[in-house]
Amino acid sequence: MSIRVIEDKCNGCALCIKACPTGAIEVNEKLATIELDKCNFCGSCVSTCRFRAITIEIEKQAKEDLSQYSGVWVFGEQWRGELAPVVFELITAGRELADARKSELSVIILGDNLARASEELSDYPVDKVILCEAPELADYDPERYSRIVSDLCRDLKPEIVLAGATTTGRSFLSRVAVQLYTGLTADCTSLKIGEDGLLHQIRPAFGGNIMAEIVCPYTRPQMATVRHKVIPMSPKSSNGRRPEIVKLDPKPQLFGSRSKILEFIEQMESTVNIVDADVIVSGGRGIQAPDNFALIEELARSLGGAVGASRAAVDAGWIPYSHQVGQTGKTVCPKLYIACGISGAVQHLAGMSSSDTIIAINKDPNAPIFQVADFGLVGDCLEIVPLLTKKVASLRGVRN
Amino acid sequence: MRIAVCIKQVPQTTEVKIDPETHTLVREGVESQINPFDLYALEEGVRVKERLAEQGEESTVTVLTMGPPQAEAALREAISLGADEAVLISDRAFAGSDTWATSYALARALAKVDAALVFCGMQAIDGDTGQVGPGVAVHLDYAQAAYVAQVETIEKRTVVVKRLVENGYERVSLRLPAVITVVKEINEPRTPSLRGKMNAKKAQVPVWKAADIDAPEDKIGLLGSPTQVIKVFSPSHREGGQRWAGEPDELADKLCELLKEMEVV
Ligand SMILES: Cc1cc2nc3c(=O)[nH]c(=O)nc-3n(C[C@H](O)[C@H](O)[C@H](O)COP(=O)(O)OP(=O)(O)OC[C@H]3O[C@@H](n4cnc5c(N)ncnc54)[C@H](O)[C@@H]3O)c2cc1C
Ligand SMILES: Nc1ncnc2c1ncn2[C@@H]1O[C@H](COP(=O)(O)O)[C@@H](O)[C@H]1O
């Protein structure tokens, strides 16, 4: 690869400096110079330069005809035959991308006894439902799942493959990407087809402090995992068209695996699954004692929500790690996040600041959480929370 | 048994800014640290070594990082925390690697180390992808368990782990060799011992270049990376909204009204 500034054409206008995402360009004495250590040959400067003074020669190019690839696949993550909520969000994204590419949208499901899942999809704007059913596929297995999806991609050549950025989606699609030698962008929050026809993937990095736009120009499929709850769930289809159901027999020789699930320890409590919850009530060190977490739990329950926590509360042993929100915990995007006695350290904000609405209850009017809260209550959460729970409960009582 | 831990040097803070002039990441003046999840991975590697020793099996813990020359500091820190030896994978040719190329280079180095059990963090706090661990597992053709919260038992040929998933835990048995990525819950990392600190000072840290791990040019660095970052920008920042103060009862009332308006109740 080489990149070059044509000296006669460059007038030192410095537009390219702004365009360069890696800070590789400097202008000295009216001439741009490019630091090769930093340049990643993305081509932003080339398209920005009005004087066509920068050229890139890339030996890197597609090794095959990319036009053989078409269609968008959504990975239909399921748990005991029930589709994960994120699948319906992916259908929204996938439908838009497929329409922009004038191609088909398929949902591909691996599992066993998938009749219910495929029936559920029949009302949605999906062109095809691809089912791979076998008892061996009932539970998620990284080796088996990735081998089968890679095999199907080689055969059927989808242009784009999407999965939820769940523990399953992330840990198996990354395997597929390596097996197929193609790119995978993690935890995207926005996807669109650019003028170049490529999938432009936007994702937060550095705990949400910066956003990056990423493309995968030379290999297919273009793959992304997508964060939960940033894209609305798809409405049902309006034209009454039902998806075609395609049953594929997965090849048994692909079933090999060196791992085996011994047991599943389910946490049924709805207050536990913070990733899928629409409402999260979170407690921090301001809760002051382990027993007070019951107050948070009661409010969460009365709102039909889940319980979150700051790291301080988890480290104090007041609540298990699976509830921790933030950089070293989970990233959540509920419709409503209520932070009680949480100061709002950057590491905590990294996990919750993209919630639709944030309410903070904190004694300290200078707590940084107030800088991101839509509604900031300055006061004692140990007093306010139980009062609120009572009021919510009595409202519920009136209505029932 | 040879145990390996992949660690990454990341900026101290994720509060990185974008230079409004150049639109690039401001990296100057930001201190670096070991990716927090990798400290748990390292601790688990050392604990597994200790457990194996109790079971009468000798093992070593090797830490690896791929990064610029200054990443050596992270490796020395890892030695102070209990690793036996360290390898720095560093070459200009690795610059610009995405997760494909990173996991490829790490896998080549791990093959040379001949690791039977590889620990990684669940994700790095700068890239936040969580793709490197599973990528390494594929390149090496090892078994894989991601998001592990506990190593229950370890034997010569199998390891039983507990994985943290959205709706609970999964107990999984893996046949070695294997790659395990860990969550924070797995342990409480120790602080450096005096002996560890001395070892860290004395340790020789070999630097492996692309040629040393037989990594062809077209599989590493920019050339080997299928994805390209074409733009970085600042997210639209949230602004604080209304501020309410008053008696608890009043506040609870107002909040209840708000929840009604939002149709949460
Ligand atoms: C590498 C790294 C990773 C991290 N990852 C995470 C992460 O994933 N998630 C996370 O949360 N943190 C994380 N942290 C920790 C983070 O920096 C903060 O220490 C932590 O978030 C603080 O938790 P807190 O807000 O509950 O506690 P504090 O900062 O102690 O805040 C408690 C707040 O409660 C208020 N308060 C006290 N009593 C009351 C009351 N009765 N009523 C109302 N308000 C009251 C106080 O005014 C204060 O603002 C990480 C740190 C590091 C270094
Ligand atoms: N350059 C690197 N050198 C060593 N290990 C790495 C590197 N990048 C990632 N890792 C490992 O892979 C894990 C996941 O990183 P990531 O996929 O980038 O989020 C980290 O916690 C490390 O254990």
Side-chain angles (χ1 to χ4, degrees), chain A residues 60 175 209 258 324 355 376, chain B residues 141 144 184 225 238 244:
Chain A
K60 188 164 160 176
R175 297 177 59 89
N209 280 286
R258 286 156 295 185
Q324 184 181 319
S355 307
Chain B
D141 194 21
Q144 160 189 327
K184 185 193 138 199
S225 298
R238 269 193 112 96
W244 301 348

Side-chain angles (χ1 to χ4, degrees), chain A residues 72-144:
Chain A
V72 177
W73 282 11
V74 159
F75 175 67
E77 181 176 341
Q78 54 88 25
W79 163 248
R80 307 216 160 134
E82 190 157 337
L83 291 165
V86 70
V87 174
F88 298 92
E89 299 162 17
L90 294 171
I91 290 174
T92 307
R95 185 72 264 165
E96 263 172 39
L97 299 175
D99 290 346
R101 293 294 290 157
K102 299 192 173 52
S103 64
E104 282 187 341
L105 171 65
S106 309
V107 175
I108 167 164
I109 316 178
L110 273 59
D112 195 24
N113 300 323
L114 298 175
R116 195 154 49 97
S118 96
E119 178 56 33
E120 197 180 355
L121 285 173
S122 62
D123 292 335
Y124 286 86
V126 171
D127 300 304
K128 258 186 205 155
V129 175
I130 303 175
L131 300 176
C132 287
E133 275 179 299
E136 291 84 352
L137 298 179
D139 293 317
Y140 166 67
D141 179 294
E143 288 184 65
R144 243 171 239 164

Side-chain angles (χ1 to χ4, degrees), chain B residues 6-8 35 37-38 64-67 99 102 106 119-124 127-133:
Chain B
C6 297
I7 66 169
K8 186 178 187 188
N35 178 42
F37 290 107
D38 302 352
L64 297 93
T65 192
M66 180 180 98
T99 58
T102 302
L106 288 173
F119 286 99
C120 292
M122 77 171 230
Q123 63 188 51
D128 293 331
T129 80
Q131 293 176 179
V132 169

